[in-house]
Amino acid sequence: MARTWSPSSWQSFEAQQQPDWPDEAALERALKQVASYPPLVFAGEARSLLTSLGHVAAGNAFLLQAGDCAESFDEFSAVNIREKLRVILQMAVVLTYSLGVPVVKVGRIAGQFAKPRSSSFERIGNEDLPSFRGHIVNSPTPTMAARVPDPDRIVQAYNQSASTLNLLRAFTKGGFADLTRVHQWTQEFITSSNEGERYEQLANEIDRALRFMRACGIDTESTSALHEVDVYTSHEALIIGYEQALTRQDSLTGGWYDCSAHMLWIGERTRQLDGAHIEFLRGVGNPLGCKIGPEASPEFVLELCEALNPARIPGRLTLISRMGANKVEDSLRPLLRAARDAGHPVVWICDPMHANTFTAPGGRKTRHFDDICTEIAGFVRAHHAEQSWPGGIHIELTGDNVTECLGGADDILDTQLDDRYETVCDPRLNGRQSLDLAFRVAELMRTAGVV
Ligand code: TRP
Ligand code: MN
C-alpha cells in the first residue's frame, strides 16, 4: 500500500491482466480524452448506493446485481438495453414482493467491457492470437489485426456507457418502471408457461395491493416510489488507466470517486493485496465489490476487509462468493465466521455462475440452471447456519431468448446450445431462466427460514 493514496498511486504496483497496448502515445491520448470528458455518474449517487448497501449489510435489504458477462459494441441498441432492464425489473419485483424487503438493483451495465483471461494467447487453427480482452480492448474476431489492443476503443467504451446510462435513467424515471406496468413487462412471455403464469399471478396481487392502498386513501399517483426505481451501474474495474481517467474529486466532500460507475468490483484474478487494483480502489469512495473463490482463506478475507474498508462502513464492501455448487457451504462458513467475529460489516452475495462453468459435448462453454440453484441454496444454508444475512445474488443474464445455459423452465438441452448462442464471453441466463431463478431464490430463502 502506498503511504499516500492518489488516483495514480497504483502505478507503482504490479497490475495483473492489463492489455499490451502497442502504441503508448495513442493510449495516452485516449486516456487524456476520457479524463477531459464529464463524469458518467455523480458522487452523490454513489453515496446513495452506499447507504442502500448499508441496509443490505444490516440484513434489511437484498442486492440484485445482474447483467451481461461482457457488453458488446456490436449489440448496442435501445431494444437490447430495454430488454435487459426489463428482466432485472421483473426479477426485482418478484424478490421485493416475496422477500418483503427492499431490493437494491445494480446492473452489470454501462461499462462492463473488460475481461480478464487465463492466457494471453489463444491458439486458433495454427496461429497464436492475442486473447480477446473485451470490447474496450480489442475485437473478438479471430485475426491478428482484430486482436491488437486499440486505445480508440477506450473512448468508444466511454461513449457507449454514456448513452446506455442515459437510456437507463430515462427508462427508470420516465414511466417504464412504474409498478402499474408489471403486467406489460411480460408481454412476450407465453403466459401458459409455468414461470409466466406465476408471474401473472404475482402481478395481479400487486394490482390488488395498489387498489387496496388507493381505497385506504393513499394517493398512489403522487407517490414517486411506486413509479420510479433506482438502477445503479457497476463493472469490473480491470483496466485501471480508464478508471483513473474517470476518477474525480467530489466538490461537496473533497473525496475521490471513480465516476465510471456507481459500484466497482475486483475480480478473482486481480485481488492481490499488494497489487495495483486494490491500491487504486481503496482510495475511491464508491461502494466496492470483490470476488471470492474457494481458495480464499479467512485470513485473506480479513486482510481484504482491512485494506478496502478499514473504517468498517456498512455497505462499503460487498464480497461476491463464487465457490461452486458443491463447495459453497463448507468453503463459505469459515469466511462468514471470520468477518463476523472481527466485526466487519460485509455485504455477502452469491455469484452462482462463474464456478459452475463447463464445456458441453459440442464444445460450447455452458452452465446448468440446476447447479446455479444448488449454489444459491448452499449459500443460503451457510448463512443460515452462521446467523448471517444472505445479502443477494450476482447473475449473468440477458433479456434475449438465447440458448447459452442448460436447463430451466424450457429445459434447454446441450443439443440446443447452437440455436442461439450469442454471448461474447460467458454463457448467460435468458429472460425466462432469470425470472424462474428469482422465484427459486425467494423460495430458497423462505424454506431456509431466513425471511
Ligand atoms: N421504487 C420501489 C423499488 O424500487 C418500487 C418499485 C417501482 C419497483 N417500480 C419497480 C420495484 C419495479 C421493482 C421493480 O423497490
Ligand atoms: Mn463472466
Side-chain angles (χ1 to χ4, degrees), residues 5-8 10-11 18 27 31 34-35 39-41 110-114 136 154 157-158 161 233-248 256-266 276-277 280-281 284 286 288:
W5 182 91
S6 78
S8 62
W10 62 274
Q11 292 178 6
Q18 302 305 292
L27 174 65
L31 292 176
V34 170
L40 293 171
V41 306
Q112 175 51 24
F113 289 110
I136 194 173
I154 292 178
Y158 170 91
S161 300
T233 61
S234 71
H235 61 259
E236 177 174 354
L238 188 68
I239 312 294
I240 321 178
Y242 174 74
E243 304 301 333
Q244 182 191 336
L246 279 164
T247 296
R248 312 290 162 83
W256 291 94
Y257 285 83
D258 180 347
C259 298
S260 70
H262 300 107
M263 178 179 179
L264 288 314
W265 79 83
I266 306 176
H277 290 84
F280 173 72
L281 284 174
V284 297
N286 309 59
L288 303 177

Side-chain angles (χ1 to χ4, degrees), residues 68-70 108 112 115-116 265 291 351 353-354 357 365 367 394 396 425-427:
D68 259 318
C69 176
R108 287 176 63 113
Q112 175 51 24
K115 301 310 298 174
W265 79 83
K291 293 282 185 100
D351 166 359
M353 316 291 293
H354 284 92
T357 314
K365 221 181 355 164
R367 294 155 172 165
H394 180 116
E396 289 182 345
C425 196
D426 290 338

Side-chain angles (χ1 to χ4, degrees), residues 8 18 29 35 37 43 78 97 135 172 175 178 203 222 271 276 281 283 290 309 327 369 372 379 392 401:
S8 62
Q18 302 305 292
R29 267 199 311 279
Y37 288 165
Y97 193 82
H135 279 239
T172 52
D178 197 312
S222 64
R271 56 169 170 74
L281 284 174
C290 187
N309 191 14
K327 282 193 202 154
F369 186 80
I372 291 168
F379 169 83
N401 216 355

Side-chain angles (χ1 to χ4, degrees), residues 69-82:
C69 176
E71 287 174 278
S72 159
F73 286 177
D74 307 323
E75 266 163 48
F76 174 38
S77 69
V79 171
N80 183 282
I81 297 164
R82 189 195 63 210

Side-chain angles (χ1 to χ4, degrees), residues 42-372:
F42 304 101
E45 298 175 317
R47 281 192 292 271
S48 304
L49 175 58
L50 185 77
T51 304
S52 295
L53 292 173
H55 298 315
V56 179
N60 298 320
F62 192 80
L63 171 58
L64 172 63
Q65 190 173 22
D68 259 318
C69 176
E71 287 174 278
S72 159
F73 286 177
D74 307 323
E75 266 163 48
F76 174 38
S77 69
V79 171
N80 183 282
I81 297 164
R82 189 195 63 210
E83 292 307 289
K84 233 179 297 183
L85 175 65
R86 178 157 75 157
V87 180
I88 292 173
L89 292 181
Q90 284 189 300
M91 291 183 79
V93 93
V94 168
L95 290 166
T96 311
Y97 193 82
S98 317
L99 302 179
V101 295
V103 172
V104 183
K105 304 156 211 51
V106 179
R108 287 176 63 113
I109 199 166
Q112 175 51 24
F113 289 110
K115 301 310 298 174
R117 301 317 301 252
S118 47
S119 161
S120 297
F121 289 89
E122 179 184 8
R123 186 139 201 108
I124 293 184
N126 44 17
E127 232 186 338
D128 277 329
L129 296 177
S131 296
F132 170 58
R133 290 184 176 274
H135 279 239
I136 194 173
V137 177
N138 56 6
S139 157
T141 307
T143 64
M144 190 54 103
R147 292 289 174 90
V148 175
D150 174 5
D152 286 346
R153 289 177 166 269
I154 292 178
V155 180
Q156 194 176 341
Y158 170 91
N159 286 324
Q160 183 165 328
S161 300
S163 334
T164 303
L165 200 44
N166 180 52
L167 202 58
L168 281 178
R169 291 186 197 279
F171 281 142
T172 52
K173 306 293 173 189
F176 183 77
D178 197 312
L179 272 185
T180 59
R181 290 181 48 112
V182 274
H183 283 288
Q184 269 128 301
W185 299 334
T186 194
Q187 271 162 356
E188 273 172 30
F189 281 94
I190 308 154
T191 32
S192 61
S193 78
N194 190 26
E195 86 286 356
E197 248 170 44
R198 284 179 85 180
Y199 183 79
E200 275 306 301
Q201 224 168 51
L202 186 136
N204 287 336
E205 287 175 39
I206 290 175
D207 279 348
R208 261 222 307 278
L210 289 172
R211 274 205 302 278
F212 175 69
M213 280 191 259
R214 276 194 291 274
C216 292
I218 293 171
D219 183 359
T220 54
E221 279 303 307
S222 64
T223 307
S224 64
L226 299 173
H227 310 294
E228 296 177 2
V229 286
D230 292 321
V231 172
Y232 295 98
T233 61
S234 71
H235 61 259
E236 177 174 354
L238 188 68
I239 312 294
I240 321 178
Y242 174 74
E243 304 301 333
Q244 182 191 336
L246 279 164
T247 296
R248 312 290 162 83
Q249 198 162 19
D250 174 32
S251 55
L252 277 179
T253 61
W256 291 94
Y257 285 83
D258 180 347
C259 298
S260 70
H262 300 107
M263 178 179 179
L264 288 314
W265 79 83
I266 306 176
E268 172 78 352
R269 300 170 215 219
T270 50
R271 56 169 170 74
Q272 299 76 23
L273 289 164
D274 55 356
H277 290 84
I278 288 194
E279 170 60 20
F280 173 72
L281 284 174
R282 77 182 177 88
V284 297
N286 309 59
L288 303 177
C290 187
K291 293 282 185 100
I292 300 288
E295 261 79 68
S297 67
E299 296 72 34
F300 170 79
V301 166
L302 290 184
E303 282 184 83
L304 187 71
C305 291
E306 280 302 323
L308 294 177
N309 191 14
R312 303 183 180 211
I313 300 163
R316 158 72 167 172
L317 182 60
T318 297
L319 296 182
I320 310 162
S321 71
R322 25 99 68 231
M323 301 292 188
N326 301 319
K327 282 193 202 154
V328 57
E329 207 169 345
D330 293 339
S331 310
L332 195 55
R333 287 186 62 172
L335 309 184
L336 301 181
R337 276 199 293 275
R340 185 194 53 209
D341 293 348
H344 272 291
V346 173
V347 171
W348 288 102
I349 66 172
C350 176
D351 166 359
M353 316 291 293
H354 284 92
N356 297 310
T357 314
F358 61 93
T359 305
R364 294 284 198 189
K365 221 181 355 164
T366 190
R367 294 155 172 165
H368 201 291
F369 186 80
D370 294 344
D371 295 334
I372 291 168

